[in-house]
Amino acid sequence: MWAMDAIGRAASGIASWGNAAAGIHLKVDQVNVMQAARLVMAESERFRSLVESRRRGLRVYPVGGDPVSKEAAEVLNEKFWESPGSYLERCIDYADMLEKLAAQLAEAARTYGHTENEIEAMFSAVARDAGVE
């Protein structure tokens, strides 16, 4: 079944996020839902770890003592990591959206009859593989 909207209708085996025009739509079934959830959660953990490891490198320093260098550094720092709409925040939002998608897939897995133990074991394995535990 294909997702046609962004309301996350996991009960019918659909997982999506974003708005209807730009969201990601996955087709899952009883056989692949757990694998899809694991892959999405693993990508969330991988991406979040990558962003955090590079966070320090986002800082821009003035290249000279002139006012333009100082002002340019301030503007770039604001754009890269200091403002609510910064590139860093966008990356964190992306990782959060992947986590929400994984949760929707877990709900679909429950609907398909997978047990809480199976779902918890799958997410624990992702966390363990990512070194998050």
Side-chain angles (χ1 to χ4, degrees), residues 68-122:
V68 173
S69 291
K70 182 180 179 195
E71 191 173 315
E74 289 172 1
V75 168
L76 289 172
N77 284 325
E78 181 81 13
K79 187 166 197 80
F80 288 149
W81 71 287
E82 291 175 350
S83 71
S86 69
Y87 289 115
L88 175 64
E89 288 301 316
R90 291 179 191 180
C91 289
I92 291 169
D93 288 347
Y94 176 70
D96 290 345
M97 284 190 298
L98 288 174
E99 282 183 14
K100 289 176 187 173
L101 178 58
Q104 288 178 332
L105 288 164
E107 186 59 36
R110 286 180 194 91
T111 304
Y112 283 126
H114 291 279
T115 67
E116 284 300 317
N117 287 341
E118 290 174 316
I119 295 166
E120 288 177 23
M122 180 271 301

Side-chain angles (χ1 to χ4, degrees), residues 56 59-64 69 73 77:
R56 197 171 295 163
R59 172 60 83 184
V60 177
Y61 299 95
V63 293
S69 291
N77 284 325

